[in-house]
Amino acid sequence: MSIKTYAIIAAMLGLTACQSTVETQQQDIDLQGSWHIEVINEKPVIDYSPAQLTFEQDGKLTGNNSCNNFFGQYSVDGAQITLNPAGSTMKACVDALMDQEQRVMMAMPEITSGELKKGKLLLKDAEGKTQLVLTKH
């Protein structure tokens, strides 16, 4: 082999050794606090809607689904998020808020992941479709 071939092989080996490894484990998204619901299934919430989610440190989930208060649990593992609403109050509200409430309650169990993007928390389903868009209070 020629000196030129050795030089090329040495250069390639040197460059390969310089490659960095990517950390595959993601940090948990910091959900703690109150988040205002802005969008449900690509549909903006009604103006001045009280819809919000509150994530407490111990995994407790509370909030307002537009008309009623609800409670449940949540978990976070890296970008994986699950929301498990367990119950809610049973007040009657105007039809528009009752419809929005149903959309919130149907979206929450579908959540499997989350992403922070431009100050907003995007909660997505298993297919990657954004179910809820939230902003922190």
Side-chain angles (χ1 to χ4, degrees):
M1 284 193 180
S2 71
I3 294 177
K4 186 176 181 181
T5 306
Y6 282 120
I8 292 172
I9 291 172
M12 288 175 48
L13 289 173
L15 290 175
T16 304
C18 291
Q19 288 181 343
S20 62
T21 58
V22 176
E23 183 70 33
T24 56
Q25 185 179 19
Q26 293 183 334
Q27 283 190 318
D28 290 349
I29 294 174
D30 182 17
L31 296 179
Q32 289 181 39
S34 293
W35 297 79
H36 178 73
I37 300 173
E38 288 189 354
V39 178
I40 308 160
N41 253 334
E42 300 178 353
K43 186 174 179 183
V45 296
I46 298 168
D47 287 343
Y48 308 108
S49 168
Q52 71 173 11
L53 301 178
T54 301
F55 299 94
E56 298 182 23
Q57 186 174 2
D58 60 358
K60 191 176 180 183
L61 173 67
T62 60
N64 184 295
N65 55 23
S66 297
C67 181
N68 286 286
N69 294 320
F70 66 89
F71 60 93
Q73 299 290 319
Y74 77 95
S75 64
V76 179
D77 183 13
Q80 294 182 336
I81 299 172
T82 56
L83 306 182
N84 298 305
S88 70
T89 57
M90 301 291 285
K91 295 186 297 186
C93 294
V94 296
D95 289 343
L97 286 176
M98 295 294 287
D99 176 59
Q100 184 169 283
E101 171 183 86
Q102 287 300 313
R103 291 187 294 119
V104 170
M105 296 306 284
M106 289 174 57
M108 283 195 289
E110 299 298 318
I111 304 301
T112 60
S113 67
E115 173 186 9
L116 287 170
K117 192 171 189 179
K118 296 183 181 179
K120 298 191 184 297
L121 176 60
L122 310 177
L123 296 178
K124 301 179 179 192
D125 63 19
E127 296 171 1
K129 181 180 176 192
T130 301
Q131 294 289 317
L132 298 171
V133 176
L134 313 173
T135 54
K136 198 156 195 174
H137 283 239

